[in-house]
Amino acid sequence: PDNVKRWSMNILLDRIDRMLERKGGIGLIIYDYEGKKDELYRKLLRELRLHGSIQWYSGGSRRISRIIDTILFTPSETSYGLQLADLMAYIVRAHYETPTKIGNLFKCAEKIFDKDTQGRYLD
């Protein structure tokens, strides 16, 4: 449902923005093309810049400031970066659903995850 996608996109954009803030960087979101839903995601990003995101862990809000421009949409077959993101998503999903299916791939992929100095995942 659209409200579930909106909520999950809110959490995703907030997490990306906080990671960019920690690293002192800025970022651009390139997303797999979804047709008519594209404008809904662009509108959500504008709202998060103006009014802030609802932080799922604290209930507070925080304005998105590190994601530049807008969300760019393209079919994944036209972008190596999106194909790599699809591969990473597959590895993570398989790790939790059927870990024996992917062997050591998760351990390789996990090395690039956003973690603190003790190896704990960051919000």
Side-chain angles (χ1 to χ4, degrees):
D2 284 343
N3 59 346
V4 173
K5 283 190 172 192
R6 179 182 168 84
W7 178 250
S8 62
M9 183 61 100
N10 182 327
I11 293 169
L12 176 66
L13 293 173
D14 180 68
R15 188 177 194 293
I16 291 169
D17 194 69
R18 285 183 286 124
M19 182 267 306
L20 290 167
E21 184 176 62
R22 276 193 308 276
K23 295 182 181 285
I26 57 173
L28 178 67
I29 303 293
I30 302 174
Y31 201 81
D32 201 0
Y33 178 71
E34 289 196 23
K36 293 181 180 182
K37 291 189 177 30
D38 292 0
E39 185 52 37
L40 295 174
Y41 290 146
R42 286 188 184 106
K43 182 179 175 186
L44 174 62
L45 181 57
R46 286 191 298 269
E47 288 175 23
L48 297 177
R49 278 202 184 100
L50 291 173
H51 306 294
S53 65
I54 298 168
Q55 294 184 350
W56 58 271
Y57 59 89
S58 70
S61 67
R62 180 183 165 284
R63 287 188 182 172
I64 300 293
S65 62
R66 298 289 185 149
I67 299 172
I68 61 170
D69 200 27
T70 186
I71 301 174
L72 302 177
F73 294 90
T74 187
S76 61
E77 63 267 11
T78 65
S79 167
Y80 292 124
L82 283 177
Q83 290 175 22
L84 182 58
D86 286 344
L87 176 62
M88 292 296 291
Y90 172 79
I91 290 169
V92 171
R93 180 177 163 198
H95 172 72
Y96 290 101
E97 290 182 353
T98 53
T100 57
K101 186 175 184 178
I102 59 163
N104 289 328
L105 283 176
F106 184 79
K107 286 186 179 191
C108 294
E110 189 181 31
K111 292 176 183 175
I112 65 168
F113 292 176
D114 193 21
K115 295 182 273 190
D116 65 15
T117 55
Q118 282 78 42
R120 295 176 298 214
Y121 297 123
L122 295 167
D123 295 333

